[in-house]
Amino acid sequence: MPTIAIVGAGPNLGGAVARRFGREGFKVALISRDQAKLDSLAEALAEHGITAKGYSADVKDGAQLEAALASAAADLGPITALQYSPLPSRDYLKPVLDLTPELALEALQFSALGLIHAARAVLPAMREAGEGSIILINGGTSVKARHGFAGTSVAFPAESAYGEMLHDALADEGIRVTQLVIPGSIPKLQLDNGIDDVAEKIWELHTSGEDFRTMLIPLEDGRE
């Protein structure tokens, strides 16, 4: 059975993606900071017949994140798909004139450096198998900076650049690296099936994504 690791797993998008991939026979590694919430989500997924297990890690601690992914692979099998979608702190949404070097560094650790650690943890097995996918989930500031959201406007583009370079470098190895940009908050996007539509799009990117970047909706439609 293939395995998906969801970094930044929670009951909303993470849960929807876990259910969508679970229907296709995937086992699910759930990664976030709160082990109790991960255990609760894993129990809920088990009710749907999905094998899932939680692994606590702070994405700002690269060694901790890599260890969690290694444990997941040992328990559930090699990671076939990686979704990197931790939810940014509200501190990263402060105005640019309030952005300190320390906060910018933390945002970069959260986004770009966390992704680098996660990718390095899963890519050896994917490259050996000659298949796999890495899917980045980002907000609109990954495409266009906004002075009122300074932390993500600095960090998301760095994460995007690394992801796009991976996309280009791995294109001939059967490994898809894609990014889904979700402008605005999901509940306000007025999708027919809500968050399940987002999970379906992520499944499509895993199975057939070719371009690096996909916009869930046009950028301006999601601005608040």
Side-chain angles (χ1 to χ4, degrees):
M1 294 175 64
T3 300
I4 180 172
I6 303 174
V7 178
N12 297 314
L13 181 59
V17 170
R19 291 189 298 272
R20 182 64 185 88
F21 277 70
R23 291 202 303 270
E24 304 293 338
F26 275 72
K27 292 179 284 189
V28 184
L30 305 164
I31 300 174
S32 72
R33 291 181 297 176
D34 192 321
Q35 186 65 50
K37 290 182 179 179
L38 292 173
D39 292 342
S40 177
L41 179 55
E43 291 174 6
L45 292 168
E47 296 177 0
H48 293 269
I50 298 169
T51 299
K53 187 173 181 180
Y55 302 85
S56 62
D58 185 339
V59 298
K60 299 192 299 296
D61 185 328
Q64 196 177 95
L65 179 56
E66 290 192 33
L69 288 164
S71 295
D75 293 342
L76 302 175
I79 293 169
T80 310
L82 170 72
Q83 175 177 305
Y84 193 81
S85 54
L87 186 65
S89 165
R90 294 195 66 83
D91 286 342
Y92 306 156
L93 307 180
K94 292 182 176 180
V96 65
L97 296 179
D98 294 334
L99 183 67
T100 64
E102 293 78 14
L103 187 59
L105 177 58
E106 182 180 315
L108 286 163
Q109 290 172 330
F110 181 88
S111 294
L113 298 183
L115 174 62
I116 293 171
H117 280 286
R120 289 175 62 85
V122 302
L123 275 175
M126 289 183 182
R127 297 183 75 188
E128 182 176 353
E131 62 178 349
S133 68
I134 297 175
I135 303 164
L136 289 58
I137 311 296
N138 292 112
T141 51
S142 60
V143 178
K144 183 173 178 57
R146 296 180 65 184
H147 65 80
F149 297 83
T152 59
S153 291
V154 168
F156 278 174
E159 178 184 338
S160 300
Y162 177 70
E164 188 168 11
M165 289 187 289
L166 284 183
H167 170 271
D168 295 344
L170 297 169
D172 295 332
E173 295 191 33
I175 300 170
R176 291 174 295 281
V177 182
T178 58
Q179 177 192 50
L180 179 63
V181 177
I182 305 176
S185 59
I186 291 173
K188 297 181 180 180
L189 297 183
Q190 299 181 352
L191 302 171
D192 290 342
N193 298 301
I195 205 157
D196 289 336
D197 280 349
V198 184
E200 183 64 35
K201 176 58 69 174
I202 291 169
W203 172 253
E204 291 172 6
L205 292 177
H206 166 71
T207 56
S208 58
E210 294 183 1
D211 296 334
F212 170 65
R213 175 173 291 148
T214 296
M215 302 293 296
L216 183 64
I217 62 171
L219 182 64
E220 290 303 318
D221 290 356
R223 293 189 67 151
E224 300 176 5

